[in-house]
């Protein structure tokens, strides 16, 4: 007799032990990154030409502050999920794998948060 | 060919921290091995698939630089100018445009992943055609970004 529902059976499966959650978040962050990447390319070009006063004013425009923070939050999240997959594929030793995934997650979370705070300091 | 395998040890042993042990287990278990990359010539679609992973890792590294750019702007005019000089140096320019090209390639192939996830475009002819479309599109997008 099997008391488990089909959903309960697949939860926490996979090499990350979180079922399809990781996969879904990777897809959602990918879709968000399609428009956000175009904003990023504009930003990268601005970096090469605008003066400090000009780029601070540019970032302070509501739409650009919005895109800057949206891009940073999404890209750091997407990159940490992506690096996690790569680590899980190539690091076979269990404790090293867990340590590496945690280091990436904690590091990227902290860095992502710090950059968002930097944008807020610029546009305050 | 599917080889059924009876494991007489718990599967965790296959995650052993010793590489020699892992290789021994792999060969002793008589499991089907994946194509050896040094011997097997990858088709275009295979090369692109690996390039997606390589660009993903490269972009994650380059991200650190762009993260720093936001700190530099917040820090003030001097720090910002240093960063800008770095970026406008010829090596900086090469790095910047390689990053943007990698981004557009990763984006184009990423869209294809999303199409696959919708259950579409698994036909072999279509796959090769799409590989060429992806490469052209990412190059075009990079050139547009460069000249616009
Ligand atoms: C700077 C921006 C980006 C970074 C740092 C980044 C990083 C990564 C990394 C490290 C991976 C894991 C690669 C792998 O498992 O082989 C990945 C996967 C992926 N990326 Fe990105 N990415 C970026 C932008 C984008 C964009 C714009 C898209 C748009 C569609 C995208 C779509 C995807 C998809 C669909 C996957 C999963 C592929 C799979 O399932 O194998 N990424 N990304």
């Amino acid at each position: 007799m099997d008391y488990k529902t089909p959903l309960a059976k697949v939860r926490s499966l996979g090499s990350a032990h979180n079922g399809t959650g990781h996969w879904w978040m990777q897809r959602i962050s990918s879709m968000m990154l399609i428009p956000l990447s175009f904003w990023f390319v504009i930003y990268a070009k601005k970096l090469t030409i605008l003066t400090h006063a000009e780029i601070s004013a540019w970032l302070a425009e509501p739409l650009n502050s919005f895109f800057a923070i949206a891009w940073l939050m999404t890209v750091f999240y997407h990159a940490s999920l992506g690096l996690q997959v790569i680590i899980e594929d190539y690091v076979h030793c269990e404790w090293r794998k867990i340590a590496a995934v945690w280091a990436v997650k904690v590091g990227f979370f902290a860095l992502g948060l710090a950059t968002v705070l930097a944008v807020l300091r610029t546009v305050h | 060919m599917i080889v059924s395998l009876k494991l007489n040890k718990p599967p965790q042993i296959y995650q052993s921290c010793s590489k020699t042990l892992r290789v021994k287990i792999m060969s002793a278990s008589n499991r089907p091995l994946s194509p050896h990359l040094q011997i097997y010539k990858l088709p275009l679609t295979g090369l692109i698939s690996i390039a997606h992973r390589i660009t993903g890792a490269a972009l994650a590294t380059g991200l650190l630089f762009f993260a720093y750019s936001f700190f530099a702007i917040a820090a003030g005019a001097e720090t910002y100018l240093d960063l800008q000089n770095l970026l406008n140096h010829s090596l900086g320019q090469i790095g910047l445009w390689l990053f943007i090209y990698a981004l557009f390639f990763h984006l184009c192939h990423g869209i294809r992943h999303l199409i696959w996830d919708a259950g579409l475009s698994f036909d072999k002819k279509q796959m090769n055609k799409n590989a060429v479309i992806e490469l052209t599109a990412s190059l075009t997008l990079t050139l547009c970004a460069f000249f616009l």
Side-chain angles (χ1 to χ4, degrees):
Chain A
M1 184 83 185
D2 193 349
Y3 293 103
K4 273 188 156 180
T5 63
L7 181 62
K9 273 186 208 153
V10 295
R11 275 201 175 131
S12 48
L13 286 183
S15 54
H17 306 296
N18 79 343
T20 56
H22 178 286
W23 188 87
W24 256 117
M25 294 322 285
Q26 184 93 347
R27 308 298 122 174
I28 291 170
S29 64
S30 300
M31 279 186 232
M32 285 168 54
L33 277 175
I34 297 172
L36 291 172
S37 294
F38 286 91
W39 178 87
F40 163 78
V41 173
I42 296 171
Y43 166 75
K45 281 196 82 168
K46 297 270 180 212
L47 272 182
T48 63
I49 43 177
L50 296 190
T51 65
H52 182 257
E54 284 168 343
I55 199 152
S56 305
W58 186 79
L59 272 181
E61 285 170 28
L63 205 62
N64 290 328
S65 320
F66 173 83
F67 273 116
I69 293 175
W71 178 73
L72 283 167
M73 286 170 49
T74 315
V75 81
F76 272 101
Y77 187 52
H78 176 89
S80 74
L81 290 178
L83 291 177
Q84 177 183 356
V85 175
I86 297 180
I87 293 167
E88 282 164 357
D89 278 355
Y90 300 130
V91 181
H92 301 291
C93 169
E94 193 68 13
W95 72 264
R96 283 199 194 111
K97 179 166 84 184
I98 292 171
V101 169
W102 268 81
V104 164
K105 293 247 158 136
V106 173
F108 272 52
F109 176 78
L111 200 60
L113 185 60
T115 46
V116 169
L117 290 174
V119 175
L120 293 179
R121 254 179 286 141
T122 302
V123 307
H124 59 271
Chain B
M1 182 180 57
I2 295 167
V3 179
S4 69
L5 168 73
K6 288 222 173 63
L7 299 178
N8 41 22
K9 292 203 175 89
Q12 283 91 298
I13 192 81
Y14 292 88
Q15 302 282 320
S16 165
C17 292
S18 144
K19 188 168 182 204
T20 39
L21 189 57
R22 280 204 306 276
V23 170
K24 260 192 207 148
I25 293 165
M26 275 291 283
S27 33
S29 66
N30 199 24
R31 296 161 90 195
L33 298 171
S34 45
H36 287 292
L37 287 176
Q38 298 92 326
I39 297 169
Y40 180 69
K41 182 172 175 295
L42 280 174
L44 181 62
T45 46
L47 286 173
I48 280 185
S49 178
I50 288 183
H52 189 245
R53 169 156 287 193
I54 294 170
T55 51
L59 289 170
T61 314
L63 185 58
L64 303 179
F65 174 82
F66 290 103
Y68 176 71
S69 74
F70 288 96
F71 295 130
I73 296 172
E78 251 175 74
T79 322
Y80 176 72
L81 204 61
D82 287 342
L83 174 112
Q84 198 170 41
N85 287 336
L86 194 71
L87 211 51
N88 280 332
H89 187 275
S90 49
L91 284 179
Q93 282 288 301
I94 292 173
L96 173 67
W97 288 101
L98 279 179
F99 184 91
I100 291 176
Y101 182 47
L103 175 64
F104 278 134
F105 169 78
H106 186 92
L107 187 149
C108 290
H109 190 73
I111 291 175
R112 196 132 79 98
H113 264 283
L114 298 174
I115 295 172
W116 276 331
D117 296 336
L120 301 169
S121 185
F122 285 105
D123 179 66
K124 191 173 171 192
K125 249 202 204 134
Q126 189 66 35
M127 297 254 242
N128 285 321
K129 211 163 81 191
N130 283 348
V132 176
I133 292 176
E134 269 169 47
L135 289 172
T136 323
S138 48
L139 197 63
T140 312
L141 283 166
T142 310
L143 289 176
C144 285
F146 188 82
F147 288 112
L148 292 183

